Amino acid sequence: MSRKIRYGMVGGGRGASIGALHRIAAAMDGQIELVCGAFSSDPERSKASGADLYLPADRCYGTFEEMITKEKALPADQRMDFISIVTPNHMHFPPAKMALENGFHVLSDKPACFDLAQSKELAAIVKKSGLVYG
């Protein structure tokens, strides 16, 4: 690949230590860049968190649904390539499901899902999509 891999983050905004740890780890080899995010369940806090990270205002989203929808509408050479999910445990499944169903690869903090039913559904979605889930 002749460019950095672009990612969007779900969760990990102001006051969330795990988001900062994931961003540091992602940046270590210089081959990846954070381009957008929905950093909090509170839309204003999410947008403020994105501003803290020097992201353009139009790439700081109030919800993960908004992020996935708007990123999908961008030209392929501008949109995120995958999402990194660093939300509280019970919230990993909804953004992973939506991202996969909209053509985005997913990297999720553990646990992948909240229960066995979600795990089985997610496995089926990953298989159907042909996308990477990690």
Side-chain angles (χ1 to χ4, degrees):
M1 186 171 282
S2 61
R3 63 169 175 81
K4 288 185 177 185
I5 299 169
R6 299 178 298 263
Y7 79 106
M9 183 168 273
V10 179
R14 286 182 174 177
S17 63
I18 197 67
L21 293 172
H22 280 260
R23 289 189 294 274
I24 290 166
M28 288 179 81
D29 68 2
Q31 295 184 35
I32 189 170
E33 66 181 324
L34 179 67
V35 297
C36 64
F39 300 101
S40 173
S41 58
D42 175 274
E44 293 307 313
R45 186 179 178 109
S46 176
K47 292 174 184 181
S49 295
D52 292 346
L53 298 167
Y54 304 102
L55 292 174
D58 64 342
R59 302 292 289 276
C60 301
Y61 302 106
T63 66
F64 74 83
E65 295 94 344
E66 177 189 16
M67 182 180 82
I68 292 168
T69 300
K70 288 190 175 177
E71 288 293 311
K72 184 178 179 180
L74 290 174
D77 66 339
Q78 296 174 26
R79 74 175 67 120
M80 65 181 178
D81 295 306
F82 76 95
I83 67 168
S84 173
I85 302 171
V86 296
T87 60
N89 294 348
H90 71 283
M91 284 300 301
H92 291 183
F93 178 73
K97 179 180 188 293
M98 185 176 181
L100 291 163
E101 290 175 341
N102 282 276
F104 294 105
H105 304 284
V106 175
L107 179 62
S108 182
D109 196 12
K110 61 186 184 318
C113 296
F114 191 65
D115 60 27
L116 182 60
Q118 284 183 349
S119 296
K120 288 181 176 182
E121 185 176 351
L122 183 62
I125 294 166
V126 170
K127 185 175 182 177
K128 182 180 177 182
S129 74
L131 296 167
V132 175
Y133 177 91

